[in-house]
């Protein structure tokens, strides 16, 4: 099981909460995890839940574990393995955005900017075509496209 990365700066967590980031969007803290698996879990040092007395226990599916492992592999500069896991995500979970997002991250880590842009655009199209993605999530992927294009 992979660790949940929580932003160390409480101001970042407050800003994230205030911005109403989409649950499926990558976490703005930079961990590479989905927002719902990262800073969404915490605000002001407290676990988020419908009932303040209830304790949230994250459940990691195989999808979560594979997706998070790509982030870890990129951090370890094991880019071939990260790419292989990303392709497995696309094959095994075609109805999830993770494979597209992770491939974009792998190609960005390799400095293959055109491929990274291509996969972030595919993520935008995927998010637009599937329920559960809000405009904030779509805008985040578009901002990644624009950021990478501006760095060329």
């Amino acid at each position: 099981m992979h660790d949940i990365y929580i932003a160390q700066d409480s101001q970042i967590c407050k800003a994230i909460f205030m911005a109403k980031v989409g649950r499926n969007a990558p976490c703005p803290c930079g961990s590479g995890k989905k927002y719902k698996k990262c800073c969404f879990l915490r605000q002001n040092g407290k676990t988020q839940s419908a009932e303040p007395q209830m304790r949230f226990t994250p459940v990691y599916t195989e999808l979560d574990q594979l997706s998070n492992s790509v982030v870890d592999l990129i951090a370890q500069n094991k880019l071939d393995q990260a790419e292989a896991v990303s392709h497995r995500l696309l094959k095994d979970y075609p109805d999830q955005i993770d494979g597209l997002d992770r491939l974009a991250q792998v190609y960005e880590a390799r400095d293959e900017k055109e491929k990274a842009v291509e996969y972030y655009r595919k993520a935008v199209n995927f998010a637009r075509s599937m329920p559960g993605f809000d405009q904030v999530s779509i805008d985040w992927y578009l901002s990644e496209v624009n950021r990478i294009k501006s760095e060329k």
Side-chain angles (χ1 to χ4, degrees), residues 11-28:
Q11 294 302 318
I12 292 173
C13 290
K14 287 179 189 173
I16 291 167
F17 182 74
M18 298 290 280
K20 297 190 181 206
V21 174
R23 289 173 42 88
N24 286 313
C27 191

Side-chain angles (χ1 to χ4, degrees), residues 32 57-59 88 102 105 116 125 138:
T57 304
V59 176
R88 180 175 171 200
R102 298 309 189 208
Q105 291 176 17
N125 293 335
I138 294 166

